Amino acid sequence: MKISIITVVYNNAEVIKTAIDSVLSQTYANIEYIVVDGASTDGTIDIVNTYGTQITQFISEPDHGVYDAMNKGIKLATGDVVGFLNSDDMYIRDNVIEEIVQAFYQSKTQSVFADLVYVRATNLNKVIRYYDSSHCTPEKFAYGWMPAHPTFFCRRELYEIYGAFKTNYRIAADFELLLRLLAVHRISYTYLQMPIVKMRLGGLSTSFRSLYLNSFEQLRACRENGIRSTIFKILSKYPAKITGYRNQCLLPSI
């Protein structure tokens, strides 16, 4: 099974090496690694170029945002299965992709997702929050819940059949895509009860100032896909998230 991993990046020279190294250190052999850069000007391109042919495909050109860049990566991908690793993120173990492939083979599924941990930007071994994807069933999209997107892998042909990211969303196109695949078209999925990605705390969808926009875009995604929801349903997840965060403040380092 060939796995395509896509990293999109724009002006992230400070941390892009960590993401690339975590992909290249994977023990699974048949990985196609694609990096899509948005014409960075901070040295990111120079860093990527130092890896040479270890990166299967590298393009750098202006784009219309992160979701447009992700769609470019999907078009370049030739693997049986496609996954995304953000330029701020890293895989938590060197055998993560082996575990993903094993899940596809064992369950004969169309998609796999797992858990994620948020870590301190200055200490990648310090867990700040645990993202538990176990409760993210198709019915929970109406309440704004979704599997952690960096842990989501699916058969490449699903993008050809059902479409990729909608670029007219500013922050919730990943929510809309997973809703479309899992809740509307009911593709099969397997959940792995383990963290497989570390995400630095911060970024586009984890800052408090983005919560307002994210909530209304999630409501829009539900309505566009025929899922009954209200803004009150969407907002109801935040007390649970806050409670979960408080309960996780004593999480050990990893």
Side-chain angles (χ1 to χ4, degrees):
M1 180 180 289
K2 184 178 182 180
I3 307 296
S4 296
I5 299 175
I6 300 166
T7 294
V8 304
V9 60
Y10 177 68
N11 284 346
N12 211 4
E14 185 177 354
V15 297
I16 182 63
K17 190 176 187 301
T18 307
I20 295 173
D21 287 344
S22 80
V23 174
L24 298 182
S25 66
Q26 290 297 303
T27 54
Y28 188 73
N30 198 9
I31 293 177
E32 174 185 61
Y33 189 30
I34 300 168
V35 177
V36 181
D37 175 75
S40 292
T41 58
D42 69 337
T44 294
I45 296 171
D46 294 332
I47 293 172
V48 177
N49 280 330
T50 64
Y51 289 90
T53 58
Q54 293 182 83
I55 295 175
T56 313
Q57 295 193 68
F58 173 49
I59 63 170
S60 180
E61 61 187 24
D63 55 48
H64 299 289
V66 60
Y67 299 119
D68 179 43
M70 287 181 174
N71 285 343
K72 290 181 181 181
I74 291 172
K75 290 179 180 178
L76 291 172
T78 63
D80 304 292
V81 167
V82 175
F84 291 88
L85 185 72
N86 299 325
S87 62
D88 289 328
D89 303 346
M90 67 221 75
Y91 290 121
I92 204 168
R93 296 176 297 279
D94 291 346
N95 66 338
V96 162
I97 302 304
E98 284 193 16
E99 294 168 333
I100 294 296
V101 170
Q102 184 179 21
F104 273 100
Y105 276 129
Q106 288 182 344
S107 59
K108 309 297 183 185
T109 189
Q110 293 175 295
S111 64
V112 173
F113 59 81
D115 297 341
L116 174 150
V117 291
Y118 291 93
V119 296
R120 195 181 303 280
T122 56
N123 182 358
L124 301 182
N125 292 318
K126 177 61 178 177
V127 177
I128 304 301
R129 178 182 158 212
Y130 191 102
Y131 193 114
D132 182 356
S133 295
S134 64
H135 55 275
C136 298
T137 61
E139 292 71 28
K140 291 293 183 69
F141 279 97
Y143 295 86
W145 293 99
M146 63 178 283
H149 181 247
T151 75
F152 181 79
F153 292 77
C154 74
R155 302 276 180 178
R156 181 171 54 86
E157 63 264 21
L158 295 174
Y159 292 112
E160 299 172 356
I161 298 170
Y162 301 120
F165 295 94
K166 292 184 177 179
T167 57
N168 57 357
Y169 281 79
R170 288 179 57 191
I171 195 170
D174 50 353
F175 176 88
E176 191 280 331
L177 175 65
L178 295 189
L179 180 153
R180 193 174 357 121
L181 293 176
L182 294 166
V184 177
H185 298 294
R186 295 283 173 162
I187 69 169
S188 60
Y189 66 88
T190 294
Y191 162 68
L192 300 181
Q193 191 174 11
M194 64 176 78
I196 66 171
V197 170
K198 292 182 185 182
M199 175 180 283
R200 287 176 174 83
L201 194 64
L204 183 64
S205 61
T206 58
S207 61
F208 286 108
R209 64 174 178 255
S210 69
L211 296 182
Y212 178 86
L213 174 61
N214 191 46
S215 296
F216 278 92
E217 285 201 341
Q218 287 181 344
L219 178 61
R220 171 189 158 197
C222 288
R223 290 176 172 173
E224 288 182 353
N225 286 281
I227 303 294
R228 291 187 177 182
S229 184
T230 66
I231 193 59
F232 301 106
K233 278 187 176 182
I234 299 291
L235 293 175
S236 71
K237 69 177 179 288
Y238 290 115
K241 283 191 172 185
I242 293 171
T243 301
Y245 173 78
R246 288 173 177 167
N247 292 337
Q248 293 160 11
C249 284
L250 297 178
L251 282 169
S253 296
I254 54 173

